[in-house]
Coordinates of all heavy atoms in Angstrom, one line a residue:
M1 N 46.3 167.7 131.4 CA 45.3 167.3 130.4 C 44.0 168.1 130.5 O 43.6 168.4 131.6 CB 45.1 165.8 130.6 CG 44.5 165.1 129.4 SD 44.3 163.3 129.9 CE 42.7 163.0 129.2
A2 N 43.5 168.4 129.4 CA 42.3 169.2 129.4 C 41.1 168.4 129.9 O 41.0 167.2 129.6 CB 42.0 169.7 128.0
K3 N 40.2 169.0 130.7 CA 39.1 168.3 131.2 C 37.9 168.7 130.2 O 37.8 169.7 129.7 CB 38.7 168.9 132.6 CG 38.8 167.8 133.6 CD 38.6 168.4 135.0 CE 37.2 168.7 135.3 NZ 37.0 169.2 136.7
L4 N 37.0 167.7 130.1 CA 35.9 167.9 129.2 C 34.6 168.1 130.0 O 34.3 167.5 131.0 CB 35.7 166.7 128.3 CG 35.4 167.0 126.9 CD1 36.6 167.7 126.3 CD2 35.1 165.8 126.1
R5 N 33.8 169.0 129.6 CA 32.5 169.2 130.2 C 31.4 169.1 129.1 O 31.5 169.7 128.1 CB 32.5 170.7 130.8 CG 31.3 171.0 131.6 CD 31.6 172.1 132.6 NE 32.2 173.3 131.9 CZ 31.5 174.3 131.6 NH1 30.2 174.4 131.8 NH2 32.1 175.4 131.0
I6 N 30.4 168.2 129.4 CA 29.4 168.0 128.4 C 28.1 168.6 129.1 O 27.7 168.1 130.1 CB 29.2 166.5 128.1 CG1 30.5 165.9 127.6 CG2 28.0 166.3 127.1 CD1 30.5 164.4 127.7
E7 N 27.5 169.6 128.4 CA 26.3 170.2 129.0 C 25.1 169.8 128.1 O 25.2 170.0 126.8 CB 26.5 171.7 129.0 CG 27.3 172.1 130.2 CD 27.4 173.7 130.3 OE1 26.7 174.4 129.5 OE2 28.1 174.1 131.2
I8 N 24.1 169.4 128.7 CA 22.8 169.0 127.9 C 21.7 169.9 128.5 O 21.4 169.9 129.7 CB 22.5 167.6 128.1 CG1 23.7 166.7 127.6 CG2 21.3 167.2 127.3 CD1 23.5 165.2 127.9
D9 N 21.1 170.7 127.6 CA 20.0 171.5 127.9 C 18.7 170.7 127.9 O 18.2 170.3 126.8 CB 19.9 172.7 127.0 CG 18.9 173.7 127.4 OD1 17.8 173.3 127.9 OD2 19.1 174.9 127.1
N10 N 18.1 170.4 129.0 CA 16.9 169.6 129.2 C 15.8 170.2 128.4 O 14.9 169.5 127.9 CB 16.6 169.5 130.6 CG 17.0 168.1 131.2 OD1 17.6 167.3 130.5 ND2 16.7 167.9 132.4
D11 N 15.7 171.5 128.4 CA 14.6 172.1 127.7 C 14.6 172.0 126.2 O 13.6 171.9 125.5 CB 14.5 173.6 128.0 CG 14.2 173.9 129.5 OD1 13.5 173.0 130.1 OD2 14.6 174.9 130.0
L12 N 15.9 171.9 125.7 CA 16.0 171.7 124.2 C 16.0 170.3 123.8 O 15.6 170.0 122.7 CB 17.3 172.4 123.8 CG 17.4 173.9 123.8 CD1 18.8 174.4 123.3 CD2 16.3 174.5 122.9
C13 N 16.4 169.4 124.7 CA 16.5 168.0 124.3 C 15.1 167.4 124.0 O 14.2 167.5 124.7 CB 17.1 167.2 125.5 SG 17.2 165.4 125.2
N14 N 15.0 166.8 122.8 CA 13.7 166.2 122.4 C 13.7 164.7 122.6 O 12.7 164.0 122.3 CB 13.3 166.5 121.0 CG 14.3 165.9 119.9 OD1 15.1 165.1 120.3 ND2 14.2 166.3 118.7
G15 N 14.7 164.1 123.2 CA 14.8 162.7 123.6 C 14.8 161.8 122.4 O 14.5 160.6 122.6
D16 N 15.3 162.2 121.3 CA 15.4 161.3 120.1 C 16.4 160.3 120.2 O 16.4 159.3 119.5 CB 15.5 162.1 118.8 CG 16.8 162.9 118.7 OD1 17.7 162.7 119.5 OD2 16.9 163.8 117.8
G17 N 17.4 160.5 121.1 CA 18.4 159.5 121.4 C 19.5 159.4 120.3 O 20.3 158.4 120.4
L18 N 19.6 160.3 119.4 CA 20.6 160.2 118.4 C 22.0 160.3 119.0 O 22.9 159.5 118.6 CB 20.4 161.4 117.4 CG 19.4 161.3 116.3 CD1 19.3 162.6 115.5 CD2 19.8 160.1 115.4
C19 N 22.2 161.1 120.0 CA 23.5 161.2 120.6 C 23.8 159.9 121.3 O 25.0 159.4 121.3 CB 23.5 162.4 121.6 SG 22.2 162.3 122.8
V20 N 22.8 159.4 122.0 CA 23.1 158.1 122.8 C 23.5 157.0 121.8 O 24.4 156.3 122.0 CB 21.8 157.7 123.5 CG1 22.0 156.4 124.2 CG2 21.4 158.8 124.5
D21 N 22.7 156.9 120.7 CA 23.0 155.8 119.8 C 24.3 155.9 119.0 O 24.9 154.9 118.6 CB 21.8 155.7 118.7 CG 20.5 155.3 119.3 OD1 20.5 154.7 120.5 OD2 19.5 155.5 118.7
N22 N 24.8 157.1 118.9 CA 25.9 157.4 118.0 C 27.2 157.7 118.8 O 28.3 157.9 118.2 CB 25.6 158.5 117.0 CG 24.7 158.0 116.0 OD1 25.0 157.2 115.1 ND2 23.4 158.4 116.1
C23 N 27.1 157.8 120.1 CA 28.3 158.1 120.9 C 29.3 156.8 120.9 O 28.9 155.8 121.3 CB 28.0 158.4 122.4 SG 29.4 158.5 123.4
P24 N 30.4 157.0 120.3 CA 31.3 155.8 120.2 C 31.8 155.3 121.5 O 32.1 154.1 121.6 CB 32.5 156.4 119.4 CG 32.3 157.8 119.1 CD 31.0 158.2 119.7
G25 N 31.8 156.2 122.5 CA 32.3 155.7 123.8 C 31.2 155.2 124.7 O 31.4 154.8 125.8
K26 N 29.9 155.3 124.2 CA 28.7 154.9 125.0 C 28.7 155.6 126.3 O 28.4 155.0 127.4 CB 28.7 153.3 125.2 CG 28.7 152.5 123.9 CD 27.5 152.6 123.2 CE 27.5 151.9 121.8 NZ 26.8 152.6 120.8
G27 N 29.0 156.9 126.3 CA 29.0 157.7 127.5 C 27.7 158.4 127.8 O 27.6 159.1 128.8
L28 N 26.7 158.3 126.9 CA 25.5 159.0 127.1 C 24.3 158.0 127.2 O 24.4 156.9 126.8 CB 25.2 159.9 125.9 CG 26.3 160.9 125.6 CD1 26.0 161.6 124.2 CD2 26.4 162.0 126.7
G29 N 23.3 158.5 127.9 CA 22.1 157.6 128.0 C 20.8 158.5 128.0 O 20.9 159.7 127.9
L30 N 19.7 157.8 128.1 CA 18.4 158.5 128.2 C 17.8 158.2 129.6 O 17.8 157.1 130.1 CB 17.4 158.0 127.2 CG 17.6 158.5 125.8 CD1 16.5 157.9 124.9 CD2 17.4 160.1 125.7
K31 N 17.4 159.3 130.3 CA 16.7 159.2 131.5 C 15.4 160.0 131.5 O 15.5 161.2 131.3 CB 17.7 159.7 132.7 CG 17.2 159.3 134.0 CD 18.2 159.8 135.1 CE 17.6 159.6 136.5 NZ 18.4 160.2 137.5
E32 N 14.3 159.3 131.7 CA 13.0 160.0 131.7 C 12.9 160.8 130.4 O 12.4 161.9 130.4 CB 12.8 160.8 132.9 CG 12.7 160.0 134.2 CD 12.8 160.8 135.5 OE1 12.8 162.1 135.4 OE2 12.9 160.2 136.5
G33 N 13.3 160.2 129.3 CA 13.1 160.8 128.0 C 14.0 162.0 127.7 O 13.8 162.7 126.7
K34 N 15.1 162.1 128.4 CA 16.1 163.2 128.2 C 17.5 162.6 128.2 O 17.8 161.7 128.9 CB 16.0 164.3 129.3 CG 14.7 165.0 129.4 CD 14.4 165.9 128.2 CE 13.1 166.6 128.3 NZ 12.8 167.6 127.3
A35 N 18.3 163.2 127.3 CA 19.7 162.7 127.3 C 20.5 163.1 128.5 O 20.3 164.2 129.0 CB 20.4 163.3 126.0
V36 N 21.3 162.2 129.0 CA 22.1 162.5 130.2 C 23.5 161.9 130.0 O 23.7 161.0 129.2 CB 21.5 161.8 131.5 CG1 20.2 162.5 131.9 CG2 21.3 160.4 131.3
V37 N 24.5 162.5 130.7 CA 25.8 161.9 130.6 C 25.9 160.8 131.6 O 25.6 160.9 132.8 CB 26.9 163.0 131.0 CG1 28.3 162.4 131.0 CG2 26.8 164.2 130.0
V38 N 26.2 159.6 131.1 CA 26.2 158.4 132.0 C 27.6 158.2 132.6 O 27.8 158.0 133.8 CB 25.9 157.1 131.2 CG1 26.1 155.9 132.0 CG2 24.4 157.2 130.7
D39 N 28.6 158.4 131.7 CA 30.0 158.3 132.2 C 30.9 159.2 131.3 O 31.3 158.9 130.2 CB 30.5 156.9 132.1 CG 31.8 156.7 132.7 OD1 32.5 157.7 133.1 OD2 32.3 155.5 132.8
G40 N 31.2 160.4 131.9 CA 32.0 161.4 131.1 C 33.4 160.9 130.8 O 34.0 161.3 129.9
E41 N 33.9 159.9 131.6 CA 35.2 159.3 131.4 C 35.3 158.6 130.1 O 36.4 158.4 129.6 CB 35.6 158.4 132.6 CG 35.7 159.0 133.9 CD 36.9 159.9 134.1 OE1 38.0 159.5 133.7 OE2 36.7 161.1 134.5
R42 N 34.2 158.2 129.6 CA 34.2 157.4 128.3 C 34.2 158.3 127.1 O 34.3 157.8 126.0 CB 32.9 156.5 128.2 CG 32.9 155.4 129.3 CD 31.8 154.5 128.9 NE 31.2 153.9 130.1 CZ 30.0 153.3 130.2 NH1 29.3 153.3 129.1 NH2 29.5 152.8 131.3
C43 N 34.1 159.6 127.3 CA 34.1 160.5 126.2 C 35.4 160.6 125.5 O 36.4 160.8 126.1 CB 33.7 161.9 126.7 SG 33.7 163.2 125.4
G44 N 35.4 160.4 124.2 CA 36.6 160.4 123.4 C 36.8 161.7 122.6 O 37.6 161.8 121.7
E45 N 36.0 162.7 123.0 CA 36.2 164.1 122.5 C 35.9 164.1 121.0 O 36.7 164.8 120.2 CB 37.6 164.6 122.8 CG 37.8 164.7 124.3 CD 39.2 165.2 124.6 OE1 39.7 166.0 123.8 OE2 39.8 164.8 125.6
C46 N 35.0 163.4 120.5 CA 34.7 163.4 119.0 C 33.8 164.5 118.6 O 33.7 164.9 117.5 CB 34.2 162.1 118.6 SG 32.5 161.7 119.2
Y47 N 33.0 165.1 119.6 CA 32.1 166.1 119.4 C 30.9 165.7 118.5 O 30.2 166.6 118.0 CB 32.7 167.4 118.8 CG 33.7 168.0 119.8 CD1 35.0 167.6 119.8 CD2 33.3 169.0 120.7 CE1 35.9 168.1 120.7 CE2 34.2 169.6 121.6 CZ 35.5 169.1 121.6 OH 36.4 169.7 122.5
Y48 N 30.7 164.4 118.3 CA 29.7 164.0 117.4 C 28.3 164.3 118.0 O 27.4 164.7 117.3 CB 29.8 162.5 117.2 CG 29.0 162.0 116.0 CD1 29.4 162.4 114.7 CD2 27.9 161.2 116.2 CE1 28.7 162.0 113.6 CE2 27.2 160.7 115.1 CZ 27.6 161.1 113.8 OH 26.8 160.7 112.7
C49 N 28.1 164.1 119.3 CA 26.8 164.4 119.9 C 26.4 165.8 119.7 O 25.3 166.1 119.4 CB 26.9 164.1 121.4 SG 28.2 164.8 122.3
E50 N 27.4 166.7 119.8 CA 27.1 168.1 119.7 C 26.7 168.4 118.2 O 25.7 169.2 118.0 CB 28.3 169.0 120.0 CG 28.1 170.4 119.9 CD 29.3 171.3 120.5 OE1 29.6 171.2 121.6 OE2 29.9 172.0 119.6
S51 N 27.3 167.8 117.3 CA 27.0 168.1 115.9 C 25.8 167.4 115.4 O 25.1 167.9 114.5 CB 28.2 167.8 115.0 OG 28.5 166.4 115.1
I52 N 25.5 166.2 116.0 CA 24.3 165.5 115.4 C 23.0 166.0 116.1 O 21.9 165.7 115.5 CB 24.5 164.0 115.7 CG1 23.6 163.2 114.7 CG2 24.2 163.6 117.1 CD1 23.8 161.7 114.8
C53 N 23.0 166.6 117.2 CA 21.8 167.0 117.9 C 21.0 168.0 117.1 O 21.5 169.1 116.8 CB 22.1 167.6 119.3 SG 20.6 168.1 120.1
P54 N 19.8 167.7 116.7 CA 19.0 168.6 115.8 C 18.5 169.8 116.5 O 18.1 170.8 115.8 CB 17.8 167.7 115.3 CG 17.7 166.7 116.4 CD 19.0 166.4 117.0
T55 N 18.5 169.8 117.8 CA 18.0 171.0 118.5 C 19.1 171.8 119.2 O 18.8 172.8 119.9 CB 17.0 170.6 119.6 OG1 17.7 169.8 120.6 CG2 15.8 169.8 119.0
G56 N 20.3 171.4 119.0 CA 21.5 172.1 119.6 C 21.5 172.0 121.1 O 21.9 173.0 121.8
A57 N 21.0 170.9 121.7 CA 20.9 170.8 123.1 C 22.2 170.4 123.8 O 22.3 170.6 125.0 CB 19.8 169.8 123.5
I58 N 23.2 170.0 123.0 CA 24.5 169.5 123.6 C 25.6 170.4 123.3 O 25.8 170.7 122.1 CB 24.8 168.0 123.2 CG1 23.6 167.1 123.5 CG2 26.0 167.5 123.9 CD1 23.8 165.7 123.2
H59 N 26.4 170.7 124.3 CA 27.6 171.4 124.0 C 28.8 170.8 124.8 O 28.6 170.4 126.0 CB 27.5 172.9 124.5 CG 26.6 173.7 123.6 ND1 26.9 174.0 122.3 CD2 25.3 174.1 123.8 CE1 25.8 174.7 121.8 NE2 24.9 174.7 122.7
V60 N 29.8 170.5 124.1 CA 31.0 169.9 124.7 C 32.1 171.0 124.8 O 32.5 171.6 123.8 CB 31.5 168.7 123.8 CG1 32.7 168.1 124.5 CG2 30.4 167.7 123.6
Y61 N 32.6 171.2 126.0 CA 33.6 172.2 126.3 C 34.9 171.6 126.8 O 34.8 170.6 127.5 CB 33.1 173.2 127.3 CG 31.9 173.9 127.0 CD1 30.7 173.5 127.5 CD2 31.9 175.1 126.3 CE1 29.5 174.2 127.3 CE2 30.7 175.8 126.0 CZ 29.5 175.3 126.5 OH 28.4 176.0 126.3
K62 N 36.0 172.1 126.4 CA 37.2 171.7 126.9 C 37.7 172.8 128.0 O 37.7 173.9 127.7 CB 38.3 171.7 125.8 CG 39.1 170.4 125.8 CD 39.9 170.3 124.6 CE 40.2 168.8 124.3 NZ 40.9 168.7 123.1
E63 N 38.0 172.3 129.1 CA 38.4 173.2 130.2 C 39.9 173.0 130.4 O 40.3 171.9 130.7 CB 37.7 172.9 131.5 CG 36.2 173.2 131.4 CD 35.5 172.9 132.7 OE1 35.8 171.9 133.3 OE2 34.5 173.6 133.0
E64 N 40.7 174.0 130.2 CA 42.2 173.8 130.3 C 42.5 173.7 131.8 O 41.9 174.2 132.7 CB 42.9 175.0 129.7 CG 42.6 175.2 128.2 CD 43.0 174.0 127.4 OE1 44.0 173.3 127.8 OE2 42.3 173.7 126.4
Ligands
SF4_1 S1 31.9 164.0 122.3 FE1 31.8 162.0 121.2 S2 32.6 160.5 122.7 FE2 32.1 162.4 123.8 S3 30.0 162.2 124.6 FE3 29.9 163.2 122.6 S4 29.5 161.6 121.1 FE4 30.3 160.6 123.0

């Protein structure tokens, strides 16, 4: 099974929480005003966080 890696660039994140509010698996959160992965196991691979982020701070990778 492919493993997923979610990378969040702290410098690009503006803390708007769009990814957090819209993650269907509730796998993301905010910590000190920046998006963080709370539980990667909850990720359902929808790539929504990556596409909704206005600053391009999130990238979701699949590792074979
Ligand atoms: S890819 Fe989808 S399920 Fe996974 S962390 Fe992003 S918004 Fe949540």
Side-chain angles (χ1 to χ4, degrees):
M1 200 176 135
K3 241 173 78 179
L4 222 65
R5 188 157 51 97
I6 303 163
E7 283 185 1
I8 303 174
D9 187 327
N10 258 2
D11 292 332
L12 289 178
C13 177
N14 67 7
D16 63 14
L18 278 176
C19 57
V20 177
D21 293 342
N22 290 285
C23 173
K26 303 288 175 218
L28 303 172
L30 280 178
K31 191 177 174 191
E32 294 169 6
K34 300 285 181 179
V36 292
V37 178
V38 173
D39 186 354
E41 296 289 312
R42 295 193 211 157
C43 177
E45 303 178 31
C46 69
Y47 294 88
Y48 197 66
C49 52
E50 184 174 296
S51 62
I52 201 174
C53 179
T55 65
I58 304 184
H59 292 288
V60 183
Y61 301 95
K62 228 173 206 176
E63 295 176 324
E64 298 302 325

